[in-house]
Amino acid sequence: MAEGPIATIIRNKLTAALSPTRLDIEDDSARHAGHHHEGGMDAKPGGESHFNLTVVSAAFESQSRVVRQRTINALLAAELAGPVHALSIRALTPAEAE
């Protein structure tokens, strides 16, 4: 299945900043359809509001899990402030991904 425009933006930003050896982007929005979250938000029709990411990059060497998550959240700040409601992140070094 082709990526939507938000997934493509996520892929481009993470690829440019982290040069990942693996980058999996899963649109998990359908699983959240009809769920009400704090503030009344739920998955929007058409998806691209909830994502599961797996990012494998040497850029994460010597970084704690928290720093890795913060790095990705900072790179995707514009998307998290707008169309992306939830982001699940697995950020690994190449050795951790083996």
Side-chain angles (χ1 to χ4, degrees):
M1 183 160 102
E3 286 183 345
I6 303 303
T8 299
I9 290 168
I10 290 171
R11 180 171 302 283
N12 291 343
K13 285 186 173 187
L14 295 180
T15 298
L18 302 172
S19 300
T21 56
R22 176 177 162 204
L23 177 55
D24 298 333
I25 302 171
E26 176 192 4
D27 184 348
D28 197 32
S29 303
R31 203 167 62 88
H32 297 274
H35 293 185
H36 293 284
H37 301 283
E38 187 176 324
M41 298 178 70
D42 65 357
K44 64 180 185 158
E48 294 209 290
S49 61
H50 294 67
F51 288 95
N52 297 323
L53 299 180
T54 299
V55 185
V56 179
S57 175
F60 297 136
E61 297 286 347
S62 303
Q63 288 186 346
S64 70
R65 187 174 145 218
V66 171
V67 171
R68 297 172 190 189
Q69 301 258 337
R70 287 180 180 164
T71 298
I72 291 172
N73 285 335
L75 290 168
L76 302 177
E79 290 69 35
L80 288 166
V84 177
H85 177 68
L87 194 61
S88 170
I89 301 169
R90 286 187 66 224
L92 308 168
T93 66
E96 293 169 337
E98 292 179 352

